[in-house]
Amino acid sequence: ETMRQYPNHRYLFCGISHGASVAEALALKLSLMYPRACFQAVVWNAYRWTNEEGIALMERHVGRRLLSFVMATDTTWDSISGIPFRLSHMPRIVFLNANTGEFRPAESIGGSKVDIMRLFCCLWRAYKLHFAKTALKATRKAMIASIRRPDGADLEALPREDTLRWSGLDSVRTLLRGWSERENSQSGMGSLEIGTSRQPLHA
């Protein structure tokens, strides 16, 4: 019904943790069902849910319309993004620094083996980096950095991190508008965001 009502719109799926994996799978499923429509996904800290064959399908039918963030620090990253160990991670993952809000490409995301020797380390990394509060705080930092003037002028008039309120998808859309416009070459296409989820993954 939604596709019939908005046939020329762009659909953006967002999610954190379990919601991130659902958003990725939904973007792929609908891209296969409606190949002429434009489905995009922006996700944080998704766990693995498919194998190399599924990754190839994602590359072919979604491609760069998927933007996958993994929360990280200078030395480590969220361990949940490495499980299940035997499955494959999404291509072109971007590390979002939880302390600074800076972006950097992730060359690879190694699998997290949750055995007795590594269990405490994996749980600690997940506790520090996995949940929505950390992702939203880092995204706010990135937004602040993106709107500051490079010459440093009039910074007092700009929002500060402690006064900038999170407003859900409106803020995500503001931060990612440039990415979205570059990836969508279809002129006159509207925008409709559905399927938002921010469910943390509990052990």
Side-chain angles (χ1 to χ4, degrees):
E1 182 180 350
T2 301
M3 292 296 300
R4 288 196 299 269
Q5 187 174 0
Y6 304 102
N8 298 318
H9 279 60
R10 177 176 58 240
Y11 298 85
L12 174 62
F13 303 99
C14 299
I16 294 177
S17 187
H18 175 65
S21 298
V22 171
E24 291 175 346
L26 190 58
L28 175 58
K29 179 178 181 178
L30 292 179
S31 293
L32 291 169
M33 293 174 61
Y34 304 98
R36 294 187 178 183
C38 180
F39 299 99
Q40 300 174 321
V42 181
V43 300
W44 291 257
N45 289 344
Y47 59 79
R48 301 178 179 191
W49 55 273
T50 189
N51 55 19
E52 289 294 336
E53 184 178 355
I55 297 300
L57 282 174
M58 184 68 97
E59 278 283 76
R60 188 177 309 121
H61 297 283
V62 180
R64 293 184 177 274
R65 288 180 281 118
L66 168 65
L67 180 58
S68 182
F69 293 116
V70 170
M71 299 307 302
T73 64
D74 291 336
T75 58
T76 190
W77 42 268
D78 172 35
S79 59
I80 300 299
S81 299
I83 62 173
F85 176 78
R86 296 185 181 277
L87 296 182
S88 304
H89 63 77
M90 290 293 127
R92 292 179 297 278
I93 286 178
V94 176
F95 280 149
L96 175 55
N97 193 297
N99 300 317
T100 65
E102 295 177 339
F103 302 104
R104 62 185 174 94
E107 295 183 1
S108 66
I109 297 289
S112 299
K113 290 185 176 180
V114 187
D115 55 31
I116 192 65
M117 298 297 293
R118 301 178 177 88
L119 181 60
F120 178 79
C121 178
C122 288
L123 290 177
W124 179 251
R125 287 161 59 195
Y127 171 73
K128 297 293 288 183
L129 295 170
H130 183 69
F131 296 101
K133 181 178 180 180
T134 302
L136 296 179
K137 182 178 179 180
T139 303
R140 283 195 295 266
K141 289 178 180 290
M143 291 171 60
I144 290 293
S146 70
I147 63 176
R148 283 181 173 165
R149 291 178 55 178
D151 59 6
D154 299 325
L155 291 184
E156 293 298 323
L158 294 175
R160 296 178 179 274
E161 182 184 342
D162 57 354
T163 61
L164 183 63
R165 292 185 177 182
W166 181 256
S167 58
L169 285 176
D170 287 339
S171 298
V172 175
R173 185 166 57 248
T174 299
L175 177 64
L176 301 173
R177 181 178 293 123
W179 164 78
S180 178
E181 290 175 350
R182 286 194 302 271
E183 293 302 323
N184 177 34
S185 60
Q186 301 181 34
S187 61
M189 181 168 286
S191 178
L192 178 67
E193 295 83 9
I194 60 176
T196 305
S197 176
R198 292 185 293 179
Q199 303 174 14
L201 181 66
H202 299 287

